[in-house]
Amino acid sequence: MASNLKMTRELDPKRPAVLFIPGGMATPPAVFDGIEGEIPWQSAVIDWSRSPGPWDIVELGNRVEELVRELGLERVILAAYSAGGVMALQAAIADEEHRIAGLLLSNTGPCAIGHGDPDLPKRIQEQWFSMELFEPFISRCFARPVDPALKEKMIGYAKQVDKETVYQSSKTLREHDLRPDLGKIACPVVIAHGSLDKARTLEHVKMLTDGIADTEVFLLNGGHTIMVEDRDNWVEKLNYLIQKVTKQ
């Protein structure tokens, strides 16, 4: 079965690569704009919200691992946050061929305990797409006022995404618990966590460090979408991980 995941650009299978994975609620690839020019590896964003279903969060993680094999990539870093981070965790759990060389995880966790907002899937069913639903989501994603141009990109992208995509990913995010399988992750994991995030807290970071053997934690100055709010330090941590896995 093909992974059926769209990417923002084609990759050379002979070169190491970074695959960026956005969060849920139709978060666009645009949150990673420009970062490809600041890292030594080729990169692409997995545009999963505009990919065919199903959109179960764990199944999407399995499809990420399958995508890596389909592309023939032998050294990959998954750089992901929020719901995308859950997909990255599952991909690394499923990676029996050890093609995934490292994970850069931000503001995510292996389960939704303590994440809050249990009624979000129901509100998605009733209100997608509406600014009544999406405006509070954007506010939660940032600790500081969001750049108007990025906000417009987020709104425009979300309007293109089907309600079922958003609903399934949000609902299953709250149903799965990856903690029992975290010990299967063999690659190094760098956690670059926005310390001002109220949705994913240090309790979620602790769940990851308790379950994964090789973890390093860095607290960055920003909220949930930390690659936007503290971009320089986030890119620095990504380049640190690239250097670390290159030496292995």
Side-chain angles (χ1 to χ4, degrees):
M1 176 181 173
S3 67
N4 263 339
L5 289 173
K6 296 181 179 179
M7 297 194 306
T8 55
R9 63 171 56 87
E10 294 184 3
L11 297 175
D12 180 353
K14 297 179 181 178
R15 297 172 54 204
V18 175
L19 291 177
F20 299 104
I21 312 177
M25 282 288 285
T27 303
V31 295
F32 297 106
D33 277 359
I35 293 175
E36 71 275 3
E38 301 182 40
I39 60 176
W41 287 10
Q42 63 178 339
S43 66
V45 184
I46 298 176
D47 191 0
W48 65 268
S49 287
R50 289 194 291 197
S51 298
W55 301 282
D56 179 290
I57 210 78
V58 167
E59 178 58 27
L60 283 164
N62 290 331
R63 289 165 63 189
V64 169
E65 187 273 335
E66 189 171 5
L67 175 67
V68 170
R69 286 188 283 113
E70 285 175 0
L71 296 173
L73 298 168
E74 295 185 0
R75 180 176 288 182
V76 178
I77 286 174
L78 302 180
Y81 84 110
S82 193
V86 181
M87 297 175 208
L89 287 167
Q90 177 59 31
I93 289 168
D95 179 31
E96 296 180 354
E97 297 181 5
H98 303 295
R99 293 173 181 265
I100 299 172
L103 302 180
L104 177 66
L105 301 177
S106 296
N107 300 82
T108 191
C111 68
I113 294 172
H115 184 21
D117 205 357
D119 295 328
L120 179 59
K122 182 175 183 290
R123 294 203 309 278
I124 290 169
Q125 285 280 51
E126 295 171 348
Q127 298 178 337
W128 190 266
F129 172 84
S130 71
M131 289 306 296
E132 180 183 357
L133 177 69
F134 203 65
E135 189 77 55
F137 165 73
I138 293 179
S139 297
R140 287 195 303 272
C141 285
F142 298 90
R144 294 180 281 273
V146 61
D147 176 75
L150 177 59
K151 183 175 180 179
E152 284 303 308
K153 288 181 180 179
M154 294 180 73
I155 294 169
Y157 180 88
K159 288 179 177 179
Q160 301 174 36
V161 176
D162 187 77
K163 176 175 68 177
E164 192 62 23
T165 306
V166 184
Y167 171 73
Q168 283 187 27
S169 56
S170 178
K171 179 176 181 289
T172 57
L173 177 71
R174 287 157 173 77
E175 294 172 343
H176 291 293
D177 188 343
L178 301 183
R179 285 178 295 177
D181 292 324
L182 291 180
K184 297 177 183 178
I185 297 177
C187 64
V189 176
V190 169
I191 301 169
H193 184 84
S195 60
L196 302 179
D197 187 8
K198 295 180 181 179
R200 289 290 194 178
T201 68
L202 292 177
E203 286 301 312
H204 297 107
V205 172
K206 187 174 186 299
M207 292 178 190
L208 295 172
T209 58
D210 283 349
I212 303 171
D214 186 351
T215 57
E216 295 180 84
V217 178
F218 300 93
L219 298 182
L220 305 188
N221 182 24
H224 193 66
T225 315
I226 193 60
M227 76 292 303
V228 172
E229 293 201 295
D230 195 0
R231 173 174 159 151
D232 289 348
N233 282 320
W234 192 86
V235 173
E236 179 184 272
K237 299 305 177 283
L238 176 55
N239 278 317
Y240 166 75
L241 180 58
I242 289 172
Q243 293 172 7
K244 180 174 181 175
V245 303
T246 299
K247 294 175 182 177
Q248 291 182 338

